[in-house]
Amino acid sequence: MQGEVMKDDGQIITSENQDFAFGFFSPGNSAFRYVGVWYNNIQDKTVVWVANRNNPISGKSGLLSFGDDGNLRLTNGNNSNITWSTNYTSSVSRNSSVTLRDTGNLALCRSEDIDNNNKALWQSFSHPTDTFLPEMRVYTMSQTQNLIKLVSWKSPSDPSEGNYSMAFDPRGSPQIVVWEGLNHRIWRSGHWNGLIFIGVPNSRARFASGFGTTTDSRNGDTYFSYTAANRSQLVRFNILSSGKTDQLIWDDSKQVWNVALSQPTDECGNYNRCGDFGLCNIKDAEKCSCITGFGPKSEDEWRRGNWSGGCIRKKALKCDQNDTTSDGFLQVEGVKLPDFADILVSETNLDGCEDKCTNNCSCSAYAYVVGIGCMVYGGELIDIEHLEGGNTLYVRVSNSELGGKKSVSSAAIIAIAVVGTIIIGIILWAFWRFREKIKVSWKKQGTSLLTATGRSQELSAEFLGVDELSAEGKQGTGPHLPLFSFTFVELATDYFAIQNKLGQGGFGPVYKGILPGGQEVAVKRLSKRSGQGLEEFKTEVILIAKLQHRNLVRLLGCCIEGEEKLLVYEYMPNKSLDSFLFDARQRSQLNWSRRIFGGNQIEANTIRVVGTYGYMSPEYAMEGLFSVKSDVYSFGVLLLEIVSGQRNNTFRSPDCTNLIRYAWNLWKDGKTEEMIDPVIADSRKIVLQCIHVGMLCVQMSAAHRPTMSQVLNMLESESTSLPLPRVPDMSSMNSVEMESAMRDHDINLSSTEVTVTEVFGR
């Protein structure tokens, strides 16, 4: 208070909760003295704010006192020069006081407002140095507040302003940007969509958790703040003297700061690593590539690994010649969207966004992100990175890059259309006129193609004779399974034409085919390297054939000839659940009601993931033991994927190598809500129950897992009294660890239910 003086003699002011202290200090081995705020109850004297960072005092002659104007000021006792002051310019009561609040915020107040956390004449939170703390407000749009910038220390023992700074760039939707010097960007978080920063890998992890925006309805000011899920836990965000940014959490048991997340995480996180129109992918050996339709600006530099020059268009846009319909847009999926986006708030959907960009020749790309809206880009596209779970960017390119054809005259187009219509009419009439003969011909052809070799007929009888396969209750006897000849499958897939290839997995390729009756199918052709023998193949076919369920792709038949082993499934034109669940754009279509399977599920267990690393139960993967609890584990992994919108095998964060470890870490820390996909956040109660059930399903020991009937009861029950899960332990091995542990691991063990000779991932 007025008249009081603090000398540099060890005296400090502490917050009420004793977490923070304010006073004089010397950093590292420095001989200079500074005034600041640091953590009080930890051995590591971590400073979070410095008053006189650019004006240190030599020796212990410093004095803190109140001036005649009511401001707190720091003077050098030797010459009474004011080294630092709160410098509040409006009228200050001479009866002012300074207090250190429980958040670490040093506040200058009128004495009557000393206990009011919402009133301060001046506060350190509005003048930060290099550290962002929970409850600190960073304004991104304000008529009354300054836009805050964090500036690094020059070195660990010198708190003066360093060469790196971090602040929110308010252009478009706010994003965090780190600069070197005054204007050289070195990293950015990607834009804020109301829930996460869309350019931060695994941003639903701890970096994004707790962030939120608030708009003051009185003046329109908008600010960011961070609220820790566990307020007793010490959390801080720091820009280092090296330019890296860290989120740190104090581990009281080990007395160390743990780095929860550090940015940039890898080489591709460095700003515009691949130059204009370049795409950085950390998984690629070359790291950088040009977007389709673009080529390296300098081939020589590109070959030498210098990608900073970026890429240029291969073919000029005709839109530059005022023909706005002659170009098209190339989809670039799963990326960190470019920098310098303009937001068109008037456009509320993807189609409207496309129209705006199409009709504007200066628009080089667009994207639509839920929570942000229509994002359009002019000129060069800067700082694009491949990002798991990233967004889709639509880049304007020449139609020829999209497979477009050269333009033809209007007369030619009309002539082609007329002739084509006549030909189609003749074909349709012929089909109608001879429809009965065509049906008979197709039927005969299909019957002849279904005739197999002697061995295939023997196997067919073997398959059709199997009636018993029970798992978790009775499984009804499924329909007889056709055994196709290899020639039949070849014809259906046009001899496995490359244009019919749907995808590739560890088991081998999948092709689209058409049966004689016109039915579309998907043919899974097992690779000779899959390691699956005839007996294992037969076992799988029998199992899948018995599991007929509306939420499982249906097996229509199989083929075994020589070394060839093929499975014929029904074709899914909309692909499978994972193509929606793990795609940032498609996932928005899956609200909670569409993610939990409907109907009677007691009669089937999911088999989509059997044999895939990351989904196999530990006892099956490591020991070859299979039981009714093995599919429970797989179901648990799938359930966690559904609620989080993240794939188990590709999940990455600094302290977790897969989704199960991540879920367990959040569970034990009481932060389970952090893993919920924002798309289904409005169904919080039932989603949390599903996470609880999922954690019980992925227990290390099969004995600790529930049965599928118990799982069903848990999901249908509104009771919150569920058993607590145990530490996942070995079950949290990721796919790489699992494959390494299983390498050269021949298994010849049996359980009372199923015998497995060898285990191979597919």
Side-chain angles (χ1 to χ4, degrees):
M1 297 182 66
Q2 196 73 26
E4 294 182 349
V5 176
M6 177 185 285
K7 298 181 180 180
D8 189 1
D9 57 2
Q11 182 183 359
I12 62 172
I13 296 174
T14 60
S15 59
E16 185 176 351
N17 62 7
Q18 300 295 307
D19 282 347
F20 295 94
F22 169 70
F24 289 88
F25 72 97
S26 291
N29 55 6
S30 174
F32 293 112
R33 301 293 286 172
Y34 300 86
V35 170
V37 176
W38 60 86
Y39 289 101
N40 183 47
N41 288 328
I42 63 177
Q43 294 177 1
D44 182 353
K45 190 174 182 178
T46 304
V47 177
V48 298
W49 179 76
V50 186
N52 59 323
R53 66 183 307 184
N54 293 318
N55 296 293
I57 295 176
S58 298
K60 294 189 175 183
S61 59
L63 293 174
L64 275 170
S65 62
F66 290 95
D68 293 338
D69 60 358
N71 276 297
L72 182 67
R73 65 186 186 182
L74 172 65
T75 59
N76 188 325
N78 295 331
N79 53 30
S80 299
N81 288 337
I82 298 177
T83 302
W84 170 84
S85 170
T86 51
N87 200 29
Y88 185 76
T89 55
S90 299
S91 175
V92 180
S93 170
R94 299 193 60 178
N95 190 25
S96 57
S97 300
V98 66
T99 182
L100 182 59
R101 291 174 173 160
D102 288 343
T103 56
N105 186 19
L106 184 72
L108 176 72
C109 311
R110 294 183 174 90
S111 296
E112 60 269 23
D113 296 329
I114 196 72
D115 295 325
N116 189 335
N117 289 335
N118 296 318
K119 286 192 175 182
L121 301 172
W122 176 97
Q123 55 185 340
S124 62
F125 270 16
S126 297
H127 306 273
T129 50
D130 68 328
T131 303
F132 178 83
L133 293 173
E135 310 303 330
M136 184 182 288
R137 294 182 178 184
V138 179
Y139 286 85
T140 60
M141 186 189 335
S142 177
Q143 301 296 323
T144 61
Q145 303 287 336
N146 294 325
L147 299 183
I148 290 175
K149 179 180 288 188
L150 304 181
V151 182
S152 67
W153 286 25
K154 187 165 289 185
S155 73
S157 59
D158 183 358
S160 61
E161 291 187 350
N163 201 33
Y164 299 95
S165 59
M166 176 171 66
F168 278 97
D169 183 350
R171 172 174 173 161
S173 180
Q175 62 177 336
I176 301 173
V177 176
V178 175
W179 289 269
E180 181 180 17
L182 295 177
N183 53 21
H184 177 56
R185 296 186 179 213
I186 64 170
W187 178 81
R188 65 187 181 93
S189 65
H191 296 281
W192 174 255
N193 69 358
L195 294 172
I196 61 173
F197 294 104
I198 62 175
V200 177
N202 298 316
S203 58
R204 269 190 292 275
R206 290 173 175 164
F207 185 86
S209 169
F211 271 115
T213 54
T214 304
T215 301
D216 191 328
S217 58
R218 296 171 298 177
N219 52 28
D221 290 353
T222 300
Y223 61 86
F224 263 85
S225 61
Y226 177 88
T227 302
N230 182 357
R231 292 175 183 265
S232 65
Q233 192 171 46
L234 302 181
V235 181
R236 63 188 175 98
F237 298 84
N238 188 220
I239 179 168
L240 308 180
S241 56
S242 64
K244 290 181 70 71
T245 60
D246 286 347
Q247 181 194 7
L248 301 111
I249 301 176
W250 180 252
D251 187 332
D252 199 49
S253 63
K254 297 180 181 178
Q255 291 289 294
V256 294
W257 286 103
N258 288 329
V259 179
L261 191 64
S262 183
Q263 295 293 343
T265 56
D266 52 51
E267 181 182 350
C268 284
N270 295 327
Y271 189 81
N272 206 25
R273 182 68 182 86
C274 298
D276 301 346
F277 297 108
L279 175 62
C280 191
N281 189 342
I282 196 63
K283 297 180 180 180
D284 290 346
E286 295 297 324
K287 300 296 186 295
C288 289
S289 61
C290 293
I291 296 174
T292 300
F294 298 80
K297 191 172 184 179
S298 170
E299 292 284 357
D300 290 340
E301 292 295 322
W302 202 268
R303 281 193 295 269
R304 285 196 288 265
N306 180 7
W307 305 299
S308 59
C311 309
I312 56 175
R313 290 189 183 277
K314 293 179 179 178
K315 297 182 180 179
L317 297 174
K318 292 186 178 180
C319 185
D320 296 337
Q321 303 170 12
N322 298 320
D323 182 0
T324 61
T325 62
S326 60
D327 304 315
F329 291 93
L330 173 78
Q331 290 189 35
V332 184
E333 299 180 337
V335 296
K336 175 181 180 178
L337 295 177
D339 203 359
F340 304 116
D342 291 316
I343 311 300
L344 301 182
V345 295
S346 60
E347 300 306 324
T348 59
N349 56 54
L350 182 63
D351 291 338
C353 192
E354 180 182 2
D355 290 342
K356 283 290 184 181
C357 193
T358 299
N359 295 322
N360 181 2
C361 283
S362 64
C363 178
S364 56
Y366 70 91
Y368 188 86
V369 180
V370 175
I372 298 178
C374 178
M375 306 171 68
V376 295
Y377 299 87
E380 291 78 14
L381 301 181
I382 298 172
D383 191 34
I384 312 174
E385 174 189 356
H386 173 76
L387 201 66
E388 188 70 32
N391 296 97
T392 299
L393 177 68
Y394 297 84
V395 182
R396 188 193 291 271
V397 294
S398 170
N399 262 339
S400 61
E401 300 292 347
L402 299 172
K405 305 299 182 182
K406 294 182 179 179
S407 58
V408 294
S409 66
S410 299
I413 294 175
I414 294 173
I416 292 172
V418 171
V419 173
T421 302
I422 294 173
I423 292 174
I424 292 173
I426 293 172
I427 293 173
L428 292 176
W429 175 84
F431 266 102
W432 178 83
R433 176 68 177 80
F434 302 103
R435 61 187 183 278
E436 294 301 326
K437 293 183 179 180
I438 292 174
K439 285 182 180 180
V440 172
S441 175
W442 274 105
K443 187 173 181 181
K444 288 181 178 179
Q445 183 182 9
T447 302
S448 63
L449 288 173
L450 277 171
T451 303
T453 63
R455 176 59 180 153
S456 295
Q457 291 172 347
E458 177 185 339
L459 289 169
S460 178
E462 191 173 345
F463 283 136
L464 300 181
V466 177
D467 292 322
E468 297 299 330
L469 185 67
S470 61
E472 198 61 47
K474 296 181 179 179
Q475 295 283 352
T477 301
H480 286 184
L481 186 67
L483 191 64
F484 301 123
S485 71
F486 183 70
T487 303
F488 177 82
V489 179
E490 275 190 316
L491 291 173
T493 59
D494 194 15
Y495 296 93
F496 303 103
I498 189 64
Q499 62 267 26
N500 286 335
K501 188 174 181 179
L502 299 174
Q504 177 82 29
F507 52 81
V510 178
Y511 298 87
K512 182 179 179 181
I514 301 178
L515 298 184
Q519 181 179 0
E520 294 180 319
V521 295
V523 178
K524 173 179 172 181
R525 188 180 190 184
L526 267 67
S527 168
K528 296 180 178 62
R529 295 175 297 174
S530 69
Q532 190 174 58
L534 180 60
E535 293 304 316
E536 291 85 358
F537 180 78
K538 285 164 50 182
T539 301
E540 179 176 356
V541 170
I542 294 169
L543 176 61
I544 298 175
K546 295 292 183 179
L547 293 176
Q548 300 294 331
H549 189 273
R550 69 179 186 178
N551 290 318
L552 298 176
V553 60
R554 191 159 58 96
L555 181 65
L556 303 178
C558 65
C559 170
I560 304 176
E561 284 190 21
E563 295 295 320
E564 295 287 351
K565 295 185 284 288
L566 304 101
L567 296 172
V568 181
Y569 289 96
E570 63 178 331
Y571 175 70
M572 297 184 294
N574 293 326
K575 302 184 178 179
S576 58
L577 173 64
D578 63 335
S579 64
F580 283 78
L581 189 60
F582 305 127
D583 181 273
R585 180 184 174 194
Q586 300 281 13
R587 186 165 64 240
S588 62
Q589 303 177 38
L590 300 180
N591 57 24
W592 180 244
S593 62
R594 300 186 74 177
R595 296 194 192 196
I596 291 299
F597 299 142
N600 181 359
Q601 293 187 297
I602 299 177
E603 297 301 324
N605 296 327
T606 178
I607 50 79
R608 181 181 70 86
V609 295
V610 170
T612 302
Y613 295 133
Y615 300 90
M616 289 185 287
S617 63
E619 69 275 8
Y620 174 55
M622 301 304 298
E623 302 178 59
L625 300 177
F626 185 86
S627 72
V628 295
K629 297 291 188 69
S630 297
D631 276 346
V632 174
Y633 178 90
S634 302
F635 176 81
V637 177
L638 181 61
L639 195 57
L640 294 177
E641 287 185 331
I642 289 173
V643 299
S644 66
Q646 301 199 55
R647 194 187 301 273
N648 183 40
N649 275 347
T650 57
F651 183 89
R652 295 289 184 273
S653 77
D655 55 351
C656 308
T657 56
N658 72 6
L659 186 59
I660 298 173
R661 285 180 179 166
Y662 173 63
W664 172 255
N665 287 345
L666 293 181
W667 177 275
K668 67 181 178 63
D669 292 339
K671 302 177 181 179
T672 312
E673 292 186 23
E674 294 185 17
M675 75 176 297
I676 299 177
D677 188 336
V679 175
I680 58 173
D682 56 348
S683 303
R684 172 183 169 277
K685 182 178 179 181
I686 188 172
V687 175
L688 286 175
Q689 186 173 355
C690 287
I691 294 175
H692 193 154
V693 174
M695 292 300 296
L696 292 173
C697 291
V698 295
Q699 295 295 278
M700 167 63 176
S701 171
H704 296 152
R705 299 176 208 142
T707 62
M708 281 308 299
S709 58
Q710 289 172 331
V711 169
L712 182 59
N713 290 334
M714 290 177 185
L715 292 174
E716 290 182 339
S717 173
E718 296 183 359
S719 171
T720 58
S721 179
L722 297 177
L724 295 177
R726 302 166 184 250
V727 181
D729 198 31
M730 183 69 74
S731 65
S732 59
M733 293 177 72
N734 64 24
S735 60
V736 177
E737 294 168 332
M738 185 75 79
E739 185 171 5
S740 176
M742 292 173 60
R743 190 175 293 119
D744 301 324
H745 184 58
D746 293 333
I747 298 169
N748 191 13
L749 303 173
S750 61
S751 71
T752 57
E753 297 175 66
V754 175
T755 299
V756 181
T757 304
E758 292 185 4
V759 180
F760 293 94
R762 298 195 302 277

